[in-house]
Amino acid sequence: MGIFCVNIFHNKIFALKADIIKAAKAEDYDKTISLFTGFLGLGQGLTPSADDWTFAFFYTLKCTKRKTYADKVCQALSDIAKPLTSFASYAYLSSLKTDNGIECINNLLNAYENAPSKLQVCCQVLSMVGSSSGQDMLWGIYDALFLE
């Protein structure tokens, strides 16, 4: 199950996610970083860490008007993630230090900006990634795109 599906930490996850979004909107680096110490590691499944939402949220911010802020947060995320998550999640979040994304996320962001007629197909492709990883990524992208 994904981080935003049935989870014993459901209420805590949603409250922290809302606070992370507020901190990102304000580009409050210190607040964002402090919130992640309580957010990462609360999921279920192979990578119990909110890594899918986090990756998609910050990767989308890096691709939009908040690149400088997102780059700074992404540099710190791997250090925060290492003791709180699995090896897979740590590697995944560490990849945010680069500008390399995931092809289906890049396709979706491109469709959003340049080819809205392809957006539904891109969302469907991404939603099929993993058991629920793609759905969590879609929420991260949505939250980042509509941050304004």
Side-chain angles (χ1 to χ4, degrees), residues 84-115:
L84 298 175
T85 64
S86 68
F87 174 77
S89 292
Y90 168 69
Y92 188 44
L93 292 171
S94 292
S95 73
L96 281 169
K97 290 181 182 180
T98 70
D99 286 335
N100 298 328
I102 298 173
E103 183 178 7
C104 53
I105 292 178
N106 289 334
N107 291 344
L108 189 151
L109 293 174
N110 185 50
Y112 178 78
E113 289 291 326
N114 304 308

Side-chain angles (χ1 to χ4, degrees), residues 127-146:
S127 72
M128 292 186 273
V129 172
S131 174
S132 61
S133 293
Q135 295 165 18
D136 290 347
M137 285 186 239
L138 282 171
W139 278 115
I141 293 166
Y142 175 87
D143 288 336
L145 288 175
F146 297 99

Side-chain angles (χ1 to χ4, degrees), residues 2-113:
I3 189 70
F4 302 111
C5 297
V6 177
N7 186 302
I8 60 172
F9 298 108
H10 179 81
N11 291 338
K12 184 174 183 178
I13 290 167
F14 272 90
L16 284 167
K17 184 182 106 163
D19 289 343
I20 290 167
I21 291 168
K22 285 179 198 172
K25 186 174 184 175
E27 296 190 20
D28 186 338
Y29 170 81
D30 292 328
K31 179 75 170 173
T32 302
I33 295 304
S34 71
L35 289 166
F36 270 105
T37 60
F39 187 67
L40 293 176
L42 293 178
Q44 298 176 173
L46 178 63
T47 55
S49 61
D51 60 343
D52 297 315
W53 181 86
T54 301
F55 180 91
F57 182 76
F58 282 101
Y59 182 74
T60 301
L61 291 181
K62 285 174 65 127
C63 293
T64 60
K65 297 175 186 173
R66 298 183 189 267
K67 181 172 177 28
T68 302
Y69 160 77
D71 278 338
K72 186 176 178 183
V73 170
C74 292
Q75 291 300 314
L77 272 178
S78 65
D79 293 334
I80 294 166
K82 191 168 188 172
L84 298 175
T85 64
S86 68
F87 174 77
S89 292
Y90 168 69
Y92 188 44
L93 292 171
S94 292
S95 73
L96 281 169
K97 290 181 182 180
T98 70
D99 286 335
N100 298 328
I102 298 173
E103 183 178 7
C104 53
I105 292 178
N106 289 334
N107 291 344
L108 189 151
L109 293 174
N110 185 50
Y112 178 78
E113 289 291 326

